[in-house]
């Protein structure tokens, strides 16, 4: 559905997006993840034809976003980050206007508008002025606009930004339902959102793609720098040296001593599980081992690991 | 075509669904009324050779309110959409840039034409109220209508260009009135410097005061018609480039 090939956007000397390439298949729900200023919005703006790329190419449903912009735009429902709406219009009036410029007419137009009003829960405010609406309803109005022509592809830029927890749940629920029928590219920096909604994640930082995979694959790869914590009784220095001597251990740190128990955390290599060997070591040296625990990586660890600056 | 019409309707509604359009309409109607009563007073004071239409369009307050109409009706057009971000939703919908530019221009121009309805009514009122046939010919009224439409055509386009260049309505308005005032004073160059230099012909050609003078006498000249229409189309073309270009640089 989306094919992005070495897409680059420069603003003067600053490269906001640098040579990114990825594909989104039909029917996939893809999370576009990254810290603020990573280039998410710029990428989405290029895909929707608002900004032209400095280099590279991209296509939506087979149409080049630059040369066949109009055909590509017809297939996209886009919800920009700030949800811009006309304040002086009423909800239904706004949706009618948007549906018309997207080429809907007659009975199809009315049917679609009623459908999206139902879908987005706008029944109660359909006659209200947009400027009197709460943030949550504005977000839903924007979403209804993105949906109105029943596009093949939905591009949502931080759709739950600034909503209260109940509204976030409602919007997520809606997106989840939409994901059954549409291809969705959703940008966000809220990790739990991605874990709940997406089949695939693209992590972008400083304009480059850092990872692109399913959430579970990303997490299992990240067992990479897995961390083991343990408590034992014995000489702290010796224990640290002995642990460090193990094959797959990268780093040992002595956290604290408490009631004669020494707390260590051990960073191990990719995919390695050293728990059995550590236990064996303690038995050999006659150091009582009270607890040993391996921390499962979460998506948050993956994200931090890939995008932190130090 | 349907897209153009939808956009046009939205723009026209924006004039009438906010107090803004009505305020402008009231302001212009009042100024036109003042013009008419000033010229009726002048006719009552002393015999004048010119027609009522001519005098009304040559009262001192005419250029004041006339030039101010354009920043008022155009400053909002692009600047507001840019500031609120709705330009992004428009340009990511299947809308061509020329459709956007022409719909906004046409809406502002139609609103501008509507502003002259009170003036027409005023000229009719003269006869009704005084029981004397209004002292003007159909020719001078027609000439006035043509030149008012022509100047409006060009000046509205100038306002569109200014509005497309900035996201601040104030700056757009100041830019528009500035450009129009400069254009207005270009017509005074031969008056101030005399006719002795070779380029003075150009300034006569540009002079909107002279155009107004001839047309309100009923002399319809083809040169201003060509001048205003080509300039308007050229300015709209520039507006189109500016709106498109903004997507390029950012």
């Amino acid at each position: 559905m989306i094919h992005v090939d070495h897409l680059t956007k420069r603003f003067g000397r600053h490269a906001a997006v640098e040579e990114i390439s990825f594909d989104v298949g039909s029917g996939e729900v893809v999370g576009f993840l990254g810290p603020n200023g990573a280039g998410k919005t710029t990428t989405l703006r290029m895909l929707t034809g608002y900004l032209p790329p400095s280099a590279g190419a991209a296509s939506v449903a087979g149409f080049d976003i630059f040369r066949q912009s109009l055909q590509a735009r017809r297939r996209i429902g886009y919800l920009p980050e700030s949800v811009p709406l006309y304040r002086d219009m009423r909800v239904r009036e706004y949706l009618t206007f948007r549906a018309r410029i997207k080429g809907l007419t007659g009975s199809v137009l009315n049917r679609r508008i009623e459908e999206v009003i139902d879908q987005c829960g706008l029944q109660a405010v359909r006659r209200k002025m947009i400027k009197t609406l709460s943030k949550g309803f504005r977000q839903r109005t924007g979403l209804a606009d993105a949906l109105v022509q029943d596009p093949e592809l939905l591009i949502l830029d931080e759709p739950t930004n600034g909503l209260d927890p109940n509204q976030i749940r409602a919007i997520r629920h809606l997106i989840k339902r939409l994901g059954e029928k549409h291809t969705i590219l959703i940008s966000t920096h809220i990790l739990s959102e991605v874990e709940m909604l997406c089949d695939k994640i693209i992590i972008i930082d400083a304009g480059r793609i850092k990872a692109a995979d399913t959430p579970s694959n990303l997490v299992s790869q990240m067992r990479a720098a897995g961390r083991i914590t343990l408590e034992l009784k014995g000489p702290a220095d010796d224990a640290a040296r002995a642990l460090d001597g193990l094959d797959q251990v990268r780093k040992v740190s002595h956290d604290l001593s408490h009631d004669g128990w020494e707390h260590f955390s051990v960073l191990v290599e990719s995919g390695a599980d050293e728990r059995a060997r550590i236990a064996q070591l303690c038995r050999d040296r006659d150091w009582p081992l009270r607890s040993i625990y391996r921390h499962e990586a979460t998506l948050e660890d993956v994200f931090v690991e890939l995008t932190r600056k130090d | 075509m349907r897209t153009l019409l939808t956009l046009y309707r939205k723009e026209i509604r924006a004039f009438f669904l906010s107090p803004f359009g009505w305020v402008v309409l009231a302001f212009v109607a009042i100024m036109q009324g003042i013009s008419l009563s000033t010229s009726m007073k002048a006719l009552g004071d002393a015999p004048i050779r010119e027609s009522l239409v001519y005098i009304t369009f040559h009262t001192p307050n005419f250029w004041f309110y006339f030039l101010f109409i354009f920043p008022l009706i155009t400053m909002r057009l692009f600047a507001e959409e840019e500031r609120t971000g709705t330009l992004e939703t428009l340009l990511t919908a299947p809308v061509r840039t020329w459709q956007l530019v022409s719909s906004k221009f046409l809406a502002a121009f139609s609103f501008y034409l509507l502003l002259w309805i009170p003036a027409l009514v005023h000229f009719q009122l003269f006869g009704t109220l005084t029981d004397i046939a209004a002292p003007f010919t159909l020719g001078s009224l027609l000439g006035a209508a043509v030149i008012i439409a022509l100047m409006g055509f060009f000046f509205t386009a100038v306002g569109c260009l200014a509005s497309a260049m900035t996201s601040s309505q104030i700056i757009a308005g100041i830019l528009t009135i500035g450009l129009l005032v400069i254009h207005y004073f270009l017509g005074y160059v031969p008056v101030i410097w005399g006719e002795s230099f070779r380029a003075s012909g150009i300034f006569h050609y540009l002079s909107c005061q002279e155009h107004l003078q001839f047309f309100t006498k009923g002399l319809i000249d083809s040169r201003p018609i060509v001048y205003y229409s080509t300039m308007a189309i050229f300015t709209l073309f520039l507006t189109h480039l500016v709106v498109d270009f903004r997507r390029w640089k950012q």
Side-chain angles (χ1 to χ4, degrees):
Chain A
M1 177 59 67
I2 306 179
H3 175 71
V4 177
D5 187 22
H6 292 94
L7 202 64
T8 300
K9 179 72 195 175
R10 285 184 212 97
F11 297 119
R13 277 163 143 197
H14 170 68
V17 173
E18 233 178 328
E19 303 225 339
I20 64 170
S21 304
F22 62 88
D23 282 285
V24 175
S26 231
E28 280 185 328
V29 179
V30 174
F32 204 55
L33 213 62
N36 288 324
K40 301 190 294 280
T41 299
T42 308
T43 309
L44 298 188
R45 282 184 164 174
M46 283 193 279
L47 285 177
T48 51
Y50 186 62
L51 291 177
S54 309
S59 63
V60 169
F63 295 101
D64 187 280
I65 51 152
F66 188 65
R67 282 186 207 89
Q68 297 158 303
S69 175
L70 225 57
Q71 286 100 317
R73 278 188 258 162
R74 276 204 191 96
R75 285 160 179 83
I76 300 174
Y78 175 43
L79 176 67
E81 187 179 1
S82 57
V83 196
L85 302 166
Y86 294 107
R87 292 168 49 82
D88 288 334
M89 283 193 182
R90 289 167 201 282
V91 172
R92 195 178 194 287
E93 181 191 5
Y94 176 70
L95 293 175
T96 313
F97 166 68
R98 294 293 298 174
R100 284 227 173 90
I101 63 171
K102 289 173 178 182
L104 300 188
T105 48
S107 59
V108 182
L109 176 114
N110 282 317
R111 185 172 53 80
R112 278 304 297 162
I113 288 175
E114 292 310 319
E115 277 173 16
V116 292
I117 284 179
D118 263 352
Q119 228 171 353
C120 301
L122 289 167
Q123 276 305 348
V125 298
R126 51 190 291 153
R127 290 189 197 289
K128 280 206 174 153
M129 287 281 231
I130 288 176
K131 65 181 164 199
T132 66
L133 296 185
S134 68
K135 175 94 172 114
F137 275 120
R138 284 185 201 192
Q139 205 90 24
R140 289 192 215 180
T141 309
L143 197 58
D145 160 33
L147 283 171
V148 78
Q149 85 275 34
D150 202 12
E152 296 162 44
L153 170 67
L154 272 175
I155 294 184
L156 311 173
D157 197 353
E158 304 198 2
T160 56
N161 201 359
L163 299 183
D164 73 36
N166 291 329
Q167 293 169 329
I168 291 180
R169 284 182 81 164
I171 293 268
R172 272 185 203 161
H173 193 68
L174 180 58
I175 294 172
K176 210 170 173 76
R177 259 190 299 143
L178 292 172
E180 291 160 12
K181 282 197 340 205
H182 299 76
T183 309
I184 304 182
L185 180 62
I186 169 174
S187 121
T188 177
H189 47 235
I190 301 165
L191 294 151
S192 54
E193 199 161 285
V194 181
E195 253 173 328
M196 282 169 60
L197 296 172
C198 302
D199 310 324
K200 199 174 134 190
I201 298 180
I202 296 169
I203 297 183
I204 178 174
D205 184 35
R208 290 167 186 281
I209 291 185
K210 297 283 176 172
D213 215 329
T214 62
S216 56
N217 277 352
L218 278 178
V219 169
S220 61
Q221 278 167 24
M222 272 321 271
R223 297 227 168 107
R227 194 162 63 92
I228 296 172
T229 53
L230 59 113
E231 294 168 283
L232 56 78
K233 218 171 216 165
D237 291 347
D238 282 354
R241 228 171 294 122
L243 286 170
D244 216 9
L246 289 172
D247 269 356
Q248 307 219 305
V249 170
R250 262 205 262 170
K251 196 178 154 206
V252 178
S253 46
H254 181 228
D255 296 337
L256 65 135
S257 313
H258 184 69
D259 288 349
W261 291 93
E262 309 295 336
H263 296 231
F264 286 97
S265 56
V266 179
L267 213 62
V268 296
E269 295 289 344
S270 302
D273 191 352
E274 289 288 279
R275 279 176 296 184
R277 288 222 249 169
I278 292 173
Q280 185 63 46
L281 177 84
C282 294
R283 227 172 304 141
D284 293 348
R285 304 287 179 100
D286 270 343
W287 295 330
L289 183 64
R290 183 165 73 171
S291 77
I292 183 160
Y293 179 73
R294 178 155 166 247
H295 296 268
E296 294 285 319
T298 61
L299 201 55
E300 191 173 321
D301 297 328
V302 179
F303 183 78
V304 170
E305 184 67 27
L306 288 171
T307 61
R308 74 172 165 206
K309 296 287 178 277
D310 52 314
Chain B
M1 198 60 205
R2 200 186 290 125
T3 311
L4 185 68
L5 207 66
T6 308
L7 289 168
Y8 173 79
R9 233 181 330 203
K10 175 215 141 211
E11 295 297 333
I12 271 287
R13 284 166 76 109
F15 279 110
F16 291 106
L17 292 183
S18 69
F20 176 78
W22 298 101
V23 171
V24 175
L25 197 59
F27 160 72
V28 173
I30 289 169
M31 294 308 278
Q32 287 165 346
I34 293 174
S35 277
L36 185 79
S37 60
T38 317
S39 51
M40 283 168 77
K41 171 102 175 35
L43 278 175
D45 287 349
I48 299 177
R49 284 180 49 187
E50 312 296 346
S51 71
L52 178 69
V53 170
Y54 182 92
I55 308 168
T56 308
F57 282 108
H58 285 80
T59 49
N61 64 348
F62 174 76
W63 287 104
F64 278 103
Y65 79 83
F66 178 71
L67 291 181
F68 270 103
I69 294 173
F70 301 101
L72 288 177
I73 61 174
T74 58
M75 61 185 191
R76 196 179 45 82
L77 294 177
F78 293 91
E80 193 183 28
E81 300 242 18
E82 170 75 13
R83 196 180 52 79
T84 58
T86 44
L87 198 65
E88 183 174 352
T89 57
L90 277 180
L91 292 177
T92 52
V95 171
R96 292 175 201 274
T97 308
W98 71 261
Q99 291 172 325
L100 186 68
V101 171
S102 25
S103 67
K104 283 181 180 292
F105 169 77
L106 288 176
F109 185 60
S110 332
F111 182 73
Y112 165 79
L113 292 180
L114 284 177
L115 291 177
W116 292 97
I117 291 177
L120 268 182
V121 175
H122 289 161
F123 288 129
Q124 296 311 311
L125 273 181
F126 185 95
T128 326
L129 293 178
T130 57
D131 281 337
I132 310 167
F136 63 83
T137 58
L138 191 63
S140 59
L141 188 65
L142 198 69
V146 170
I147 193 65
I148 287 293
L150 280 174
M151 289 197 290
F153 197 55
F154 175 33
F155 295 170
T156 307
V158 170
C160 286
L161 178 64
S163 184
M165 291 201 292
T166 163
S167 57
S168 153
Q169 293 191 39
I170 307 271
I171 295 179
I174 293 174
L175 206 58
T176 311
I177 192 72
L179 289 171
L180 295 186
V181 166
I182 290 172
H183 181 266
Y184 172 77
F185 278 108
L186 285 182
Y188 272 130
V189 169
V191 179
I192 300 167
W193 275 278
E195 308 281 347
S196 53
F197 63 107
R198 288 175 74 180
S200 66
I202 294 178
F203 295 101
H204 284 295
Y205 183 69
L206 296 179
S207 168
C208 40
Q209 304 87 308
E210 281 181 26
H211 299 156
L212 185 71
Q213 210 177 337
F214 293 140
F215 275 71
T216 46
K217 281 179 180 166
L219 297 169
I220 293 181
D221 186 351
S222 60
R223 283 169 303 173
I225 298 178
V226 173
Y227 171 66
Y228 287 116
S229 359
T230 48
M231 285 304 279
I233 289 161
F234 178 65
T235 313
L236 285 176
F237 172 68
L238 286 182
T239 312
H240 178 278
L241 286 185
V242 168
V243 173
D244 240 14
F245 178 70
R246 248 204 311 217
R247 297 161 62 200
W248 288 79
K249 53 161 198 187
Q250 276 206 358

